[in-house]
Amino acid sequence: MGGTILKMQQITKRFPGVLALDQVNISLDRGEVLALVGENGAGKSTLLKILSGAYVKDEGVIEFDGRVIDGYSPNEAIDMGISIIYQELDNYGTLTVTENILVNALPRKGGKFSPIDWKAANAKADELIRRITDEIDVTARINTLTAAQQQLVEIAKAMSRNMKVLVMDEPTSALNRVETEQLLKIVKNLAAEGIGIIYISHRMDEIFQISDRIQVMRDGKSVSSFLTSEADEERIVREMVGRTLDSMYPHTKQTPGECILKVEHLTCGKAEDVSFRLHRGEILSLFGLMGAGRTSMVRGLFGDRYIRSGSIEILGKTTRNRSPKEAIQNHIAYVPNERKLEGLMLTDTVRFNISISVVDILKKFLKVDKKAEEQITEHWIEKLGIRTPSGETKVVSLSGGNQQKVVIARWLETKPEILILNDPTRGIDVGAKAEIYRLMEELCRQGMGIIMISSELQETLSMADRILVMSEGRVTGEVPREEATQENLMKLAVGGKG
Ligand SMILES: Nc1ncnc2c1ncn2[C@@H]1O[C@H](COP(=O)(O)OP(=O)(O)OP(=O)(O)O)[C@@H](O)[C@H]1O
Ligand SMILES: [Mg+2]
């Protein structure tokens, strides 16, 4: 063990109008966990897509396992021992878990053209998946799994290859705490076996927990690298954003205003008999493990899921919100968690994606007022720091975090009274995170009520006025901020008493 397994030197990559990578250098030892950090759009994913053979570099040298490699395809990269788990889930939706994991290596009963041995295949896939979780049936179709489960399948798939380097691009962004812990353990074990790991994450706690070394990227350059044991959070943030950030969590507890939302005995999807209130100026956090019913509940509120029973009262008026359109008219906006699937039209422009929510309002004599659209777009690009060459850029070419900001901008533009944010800062860099928290605070001060689903404890404890904990579809507790601790929230989340 030990010794360098990978060296990328002077890597440069240009896209039309963007210098994505500017002479980047990184190196990785066998058995080392290298955390790659940087703001949204810094070039992390691009660098690793070059490593994986998905993108072609313009300049630079890649040395892997003692030799220079160049001009290889993603499949050849895997054969050489370079496995990548992408930020965007990349699987075959209608195939089963087994087929996904063993995609090019399904065992056969005899020679190359003999029938596939499904029993052996399922057993093999099952063995791999069980190293991560007990909750996935390998004969299930991928598209019946949750995003979190799909991510776990991706990880199992990478583990099935004979890998020397494993790259993980924000692997835990769709995982809950328990799953994240499991994953970090798995990563540590792989490193102990001598596999070099490059780990991209925006979550500081994970970075400190797992990495040996940290490499910071900024504006397409590798700015610094240091041992994790010699780093502290402030230093990393400073190197990432190139300045010191003032307070991360600005929200101070508010004296709640009038009640703007009253939910009673709501039963909808996985959520059962949920009751709560939301006041002006308040941030209510819904906390729970994956599958606790939080998303079902808020989708019901947003008219996106059939409500079996219960009542909703918004600004004193009883409503049913039978469709998202009706919910929007009732001043609710919902920023979904699976923004890729539910929110974005990737091949359309930033302008189109932001202004689509208000397109009816912007219509002048049946034609959309393009000037107004452009103004709105400029406003949000500036306000959220969306990193894009212009409003006319197609969303598909933005970095992951910047795509998320586009969806958030769209919903904020509807100027809701009740804003539902499902995991709003997932995949968003620290600078932008602070920006979004500041925005939430500003909206609260203007009298909005915010419901936030969050998988991050720190965020929940620091931003929420009140925390509604759910477990298996039911509310197991309601905790005011001053009484909330990591322990009592977790206890309630697993269904216990607080
Ligand atoms: N296919 C593409 N076409 C055009 N521009 C691209 C493409 N892929 C990436 N870019 C641009 O390259 C830059 C770096 O993007 P990249 O996705 O590598 O950032 P990142 O560090 O992974 O960010 P995030 O944390 O948001 O995922 C961005 O300005 C992005 O818009
Ligand atoms: Mg990325």
Side-chain angles (χ1 to χ4, degrees):
M1 254 178 62
T4 309
I5 177 79
L6 173 72
K7 229 181 196 161
M8 296 178 80
Q9 282 172 306
Q10 309 285 310
I11 307 289
T12 294
K13 175 75 183 169
R14 290 179 197 88
F15 292 110
V18 183
L19 179 56
L21 297 175
D22 184 5
Q23 313 237 323
V24 172
N25 297 312
I26 68 164
S27 75
L28 178 72
D29 284 349
R30 291 174 205 275
E32 182 183 41
V33 181
L34 176 71
L36 192 59
V37 304
E39 287 189 290
N40 297 130
K44 306 178 296 293
S45 296
T46 303
L47 182 68
L48 298 172
K49 281 178 185 164
I50 287 173
L51 176 63
S52 75
Y55 284 172
V56 179
K57 59 182 161 45
D58 295 330
E59 291 162 33
V61 178
I62 304 174
E63 234 176 88
F64 172 73
D65 207 7
R67 63 194 178 96
V68 173
I69 56 171
D70 200 6
Y72 51 89
S73 70
N75 265 329
E76 287 163 345
I78 292 165
D79 286 342
M80 290 187 286
I82 301 171
S83 268
I84 300 231
I85 296 170
Y86 285 110
Q87 185 170 13
E88 302 86 23
L89 290 181
D90 174 28
N91 52 34
Y92 307 97
T94 56
L95 300 185
T96 65
V97 173
T98 295
E99 288 167 306
N100 264 278
I101 292 178
L102 301 175
V103 65
N104 287 323
L106 285 163
R108 294 183 183 272
K109 288 188 166 144
K112 201 170 172 192
F113 299 105
S114 63
I116 287 167
D117 184 348
W118 287 111
K119 213 169 148 202
N122 287 335
K124 186 163 178 219
D126 192 62
E127 188 195 317
L128 286 162
I129 202 88
R130 259 168 227 295
R131 285 171 70 180
I132 315 174
T133 174
D134 286 333
E135 280 162 29
I136 296 176
D137 171 9
V138 292
T139 61
R141 283 187 200 292
I142 282 285
N143 55 16
T144 64
L145 304 182
T146 63
Q149 290 170 328
Q150 292 184 23
Q151 185 76 54
L152 296 178
V153 171
E154 285 293 298
I155 292 161
K157 180 159 126 194
M159 287 181 3
S160 75
R161 319 287 174 86
N162 171 33
M163 60 192 168
K164 294 181 178 140
V165 168
L166 174 64
V167 175
M168 304 173 109
D169 195 349
E170 299 187 40
T172 61
S173 61
L175 307 190
N176 69 37
R177 267 172 61 84
V178 177
E179 293 160 333
T180 299
E181 286 300 320
Q182 280 171 349
L183 175 70
L184 295 182
K185 228 179 261 159
I186 290 161
V187 172
K188 277 213 142 92
N189 289 341
L190 293 173
E193 287 169 24
I195 294 164
I197 294 177
I198 302 179
Y199 191 91
I200 301 182
S201 177
H202 289 292
R203 293 188 173 170
M204 289 294 167
D205 48 344
E206 282 174 17
I207 291 166
F208 278 101
Q209 199 178 332
I210 192 137
S211 69
D212 301 307
R213 199 158 53 86
I214 297 169
Q215 167 83 51
V216 182
M217 289 184 68
R218 186 168 76 228
D219 293 336
K221 298 188 183 68
S222 37
V223 289
S224 56
S225 156
F226 36 82
L227 293 176
T228 309
S229 55
E230 289 166 7
D232 59 61
E233 186 166 338
E234 206 196 302
R235 171 162 179 208
I236 300 171
V237 172
R238 199 168 11 137
E239 301 264 7
M240 274 171 67
V241 300
R243 65 192 149 87
T244 350
L245 284 181
D246 22 288
S247 92
M248 184 78 184
Y249 304 103
H251 188 66
T252 46
K253 174 127 184 159
Q254 305 283 306
T255 337
E258 73 177 301
C259 173
I260 47 178
L261 173 69
K262 205 157 118 191
V263 171
E264 263 167 5
H265 307 295
L266 192 79
T267 295
C268 167
K270 248 185 227 159
E272 270 177 66
D273 195 25
V274 174
S275 302
F276 67 91
R277 281 158 198 240
L278 179 73
H279 303 86
R280 282 196 191 282
E282 187 182 43
I283 298 178
L284 173 71
S285 171
L286 299 182
F287 186 74
L289 302 181
M290 187 181 68
R294 298 172 299 164
T295 298
S296 287
M297 209 271 294
V298 295
R299 291 184 106 186
L301 279 181
F302 189 60
D304 196 23
R305 182 147 243 188
Y306 176 70
I307 294 174
R308 297 207 295 283
S309 60
S311 69
I312 304 173
E313 201 183 295
I314 296 170
L315 301 164
K317 187 181 126 206
T318 302
T319 171
R320 210 63 222 237
N321 289 350
R322 277 175 211 85
S323 67
K325 197 167 171 194
E326 197 179 334
I328 293 166
Q329 280 161 0
N330 286 323
H331 313 285
I332 296 192
Y334 173 54
V335 180
N337 52 341
E338 291 182 36
R339 290 174 271 259
K340 271 282 163 48
L341 305 176
E342 300 180 54
L344 285 168
M345 278 146 275
L346 288 171
T347 53
D348 276 303
T349 62
V350 172
R351 169 171 57 82
F352 179 84
N353 271 283
I354 292 181
S355 61
I356 178 118
S357 60
V358 290
V359 77
D360 287 341
I361 305 165
L362 296 180
K363 270 200 184 127
K364 251 200 216 156
F365 312 111
L366 296 173
K367 253 188 83 194
V368 181
D369 182 350
K370 191 163 172 228
K371 263 263 134 50
E373 272 193 348
E374 280 165 2
Q375 272 171 11
I376 288 170
T377 307
E378 282 313 310
H379 167 79
W380 287 113
I381 287 177
E382 159 131 24
K383 182 116 198 162
L384 296 180
I386 301 172
R387 195 175 163 137
T388 170
S390 84
E392 299 309 309
T393 304
K394 289 195 167 53
V395 166
V396 70
S397 74
L398 301 190
S399 78
N402 282 299
Q403 294 182 356
Q404 299 190 10
K405 292 185 204 169
V406 169
V407 186
I408 293 177
R410 170 195 302 169
W411 288 108
L412 290 177
E413 184 54 39
T414 67
K415 308 210 167 59
E417 305 265 5
I418 297 165
L419 176 65
I420 306 171
L421 299 168
N422 199 342
D423 225 346
T425 61
R426 185 175 105 194
I428 287 188
D429 70 60
V430 276
K433 231 175 186 173
E435 211 53 57
I436 284 173
Y437 294 146
R438 207 167 317 143
L439 190 69
M440 285 167 70
E441 172 67 5
E442 195 182 314
L443 297 170
C444 281
R445 289 195 185 280
Q446 290 165 10
M448 199 184 277
I450 296 179
I451 299 175
M452 174 178 74
I453 293 183
S454 172
S455 48
E456 244 186 86
L457 240 132
Q458 185 60 44
E459 174 176 280
T460 301
L461 292 170
S462 311
M463 287 299 289
D465 293 298
R466 232 168 0 112
I467 299 145
L468 198 72
V469 189
M470 289 179 70
S471 172
E472 291 176 22
R474 290 176 182 274
V475 174
T476 49
E478 194 182 307
V479 189
R481 180 206 299 225
E482 56 278 12
E483 285 168 26
T485 61
Q486 184 163 333
E487 291 73 38
N488 64 13
L489 294 187
M490 279 313 284
K491 216 176 217 174
L492 288 166
V494 296
K497 295 260 181 295

